[in-house]
Amino acid sequence: MLSSENGGIEGQVNGSHGSVNNTTSRFHQFRRKLDWDCLKKTGKEWIRNPMNMVLLIWILCVTISGAILFLVMTGMLNNALPKKYQREAWFEVNNQILNALFTLICLYHHPRRIHHLVLLLRWRSEDVHKLRKEYCKNGTYKPNERMHMLIVVVLLNLNCFAQYALCALNVGYTRSKRPAIGVAITISVAIAAPAIAGVYTIVSPLGKDYDLGSDEESQIHNHDVKRVKSLERRLSFSLSTSESSPKWSGGILDFWNDLSIAYLSLFFSCCVFGWNMERLGFGNMYVHTATFLLVCLAPFWIFTMAAINISNETIREALGTTGLFLCVFGLLYGGFWRIQMRKRYNLPPSSACCGKPEVTDCALWLFCCWCSLAQEVRTGNSYDIVEDKFYKKPGQEPGRPGTGSPVQHSSSLTLGRRGLSDDNRSPTAPLSMVEEGSSSRGKDATLQPPFQNSINREGN
């Protein structure tokens, strides 16, 4: 009897050891299959993006504050905080910090979400292409895509409005008078809306592959073909010569080269920034203007309001200082888009700060934002911008300040990236193209001239 029981026990022990060994071996096999060098390289590239860096900091702040709030709510910090008023104070501080962080992230995303809602309601062919890139798998046509995208965009906007309502409850009421039902409803909607939108994007036709061939898709394709052919006809005689490299228009402090741009950059920074971003092909003017205003002003007001219901004076001052700190670093939004402008148009980099062009671009915006903006606008005026490429203006030396400005040449904005900035230009006027560089200018890569264009004007 004893021997049989011992045998059973030994079998169970051996079986458990075997399962542990199998699990360990699978884990080692999984580790061997991972390409650690590729993961490290991907991680480094991801963290170098300033937007991803800001997102990582935001996630860390939310994680720390949320963990403290959870520990206080579950009583795990009762030994460290033995008195009730201490626990209530820590609860309220971390609750207001989380409220401020989530409200800020909603404010930053909301202009773009409203813009997408406007595009859905307007539903032009160029709008469809932009929306597909954002919400459709592989950016291709999907059945009833307008309705499905509208559901997703409405849910994302609902997330923002629910967070604003939750912020109002947290700011407008003290903890003892705050309506629990209202807080529960707003938190539930704020969490559920983006979660449902994400799941719906995956399980709906937006996340699946379909064969093209609908009438609507054919019309959009024909529209794109006609637009490209029209552009080719306009530039049929412009590709014979090319400039060696584009240049910044003057130095960072050469704002006197065009005082009108300098004054506009100083007094109407957000509007000029948005106008220049749309002209350069980086998105909608109003979205950039609103986002720039929010990243530079919203943190101070949000954190100041978050401190209203906190009784500790030191913590209130710390929250206000944090808001001011974040407002100053909101200027890095301009630095991020300066990096994109330099890379897209192959402008010469500067390694004056830490030997890295990206750090230099951000530092220029952080310490001299108006001068940086004026230089970017002057550079855009020095060239004709057509389809994400710089073309030399006839009779003008590269890098010299152009005559255009946000006020004088509004036609360049209406024509956008497809038109020329001067309305009275002859259609046969030569343009010298500056090809978009495929590699960083930091490697001193030589730009090769484009091949002789073989497009013939219609009628010849």
Side-chain angles (χ1 to χ4, degrees), residues 412-430:
S412 62
L413 177 60
T414 57
L415 290 171
R417 296 147 57 196
R418 305 176 200 163
L420 303 178
S421 60
D422 295 335
D423 292 338
N424 57 354
R425 177 165 298 156
S426 170
T428 60

Side-chain angles (χ1 to χ4, degrees), residues 130-322:
K130 294 177 183 177
L131 291 168
R132 284 176 181 170
K133 290 175 65 177
E134 293 289 336
Y135 299 103
C136 295
K137 183 179 179 180
N138 301 325
T140 56
Y141 166 80
K142 312 296 178 187
N144 299 319
E145 56 186 355
R146 186 180 186 185
M147 180 191 69
H148 296 301
M149 284 190 283
L150 184 61
I151 292 173
V152 174
V153 172
V154 168
L155 286 171
L156 293 176
N157 279 277
L158 181 62
N159 160 247
C160 293
F161 288 118
Q163 181 58 44
Y164 301 154
L166 178 61
C167 180
L169 291 174
N170 280 309
V171 171
Y173 296 90
T174 60
R175 185 188 176 190
S176 59
K177 298 180 180 179
R178 196 171 294 149
I181 297 178
V183 172
I185 292 174
T186 52
I187 287 180
S188 301
V189 174
I191 295 174
I196 295 173
V199 173
Y200 188 83
T201 302
I202 297 173
V203 301
S204 69
L206 298 178
K208 299 177 182 178
D209 292 318
Y210 291 91
D211 295 330
L212 303 180
S214 67
D215 294 337
E216 185 177 0
E217 182 69 14
S218 300
Q219 291 175 3
I220 295 173
H221 176 71
N222 293 335
H223 176 271
D224 292 338
V225 170
K226 290 179 181 178
R227 182 173 62 83
V228 171
K229 288 184 177 179
S230 175
L231 178 66
E232 289 176 344
R233 287 198 301 269
R234 268 196 298 165
L235 303 179
S236 58
F237 296 99
S238 66
L239 304 180
S240 57
T241 59
S242 66
E243 193 177 334
S244 60
S245 63
K247 301 177 182 178
W248 292 103
S249 179
I252 196 68
L253 297 177
D254 291 336
F255 50 84
W256 56 78
N257 289 345
D258 195 325
L259 289 178
S260 63
I261 292 177
Y263 284 125
L264 288 170
S265 300
L266 178 62
F267 296 108
F268 304 97
S269 305
C270 296
C271 298
V272 174
F273 175 79
W275 173 85
N276 197 48
M277 287 295 101
E278 180 169 315
R279 177 178 63 159
L280 294 171
F282 291 118
N284 181 265
M285 173 177 63
Y286 302 105
V287 172
H288 277 293
T289 300
T291 305
F292 193 29
L293 275 171
L294 289 171
V295 297
C296 292
L297 297 178
F300 172 74
W301 296 107
I302 294 297
F303 276 89
T304 300
M305 290 189 298
I308 291 176
N309 293 322
I310 297 175
S311 57
N312 191 304
E313 189 66 27
T314 303
I315 296 177
R316 294 177 66 174
E317 292 179 357
L319 286 175
T321 304
T322 302

Side-chain angles (χ1 to χ4, degrees), residues 1 11 44 105 120 122 233 256 327 430 449 454 458:
M1 180 72 69
K44 288 180 180 179
I105 204 70
L120 277 167
R122 192 171 61 178
R233 287 198 301 269
W256 56 78
C327 286
S454 60
E458 289 184 358

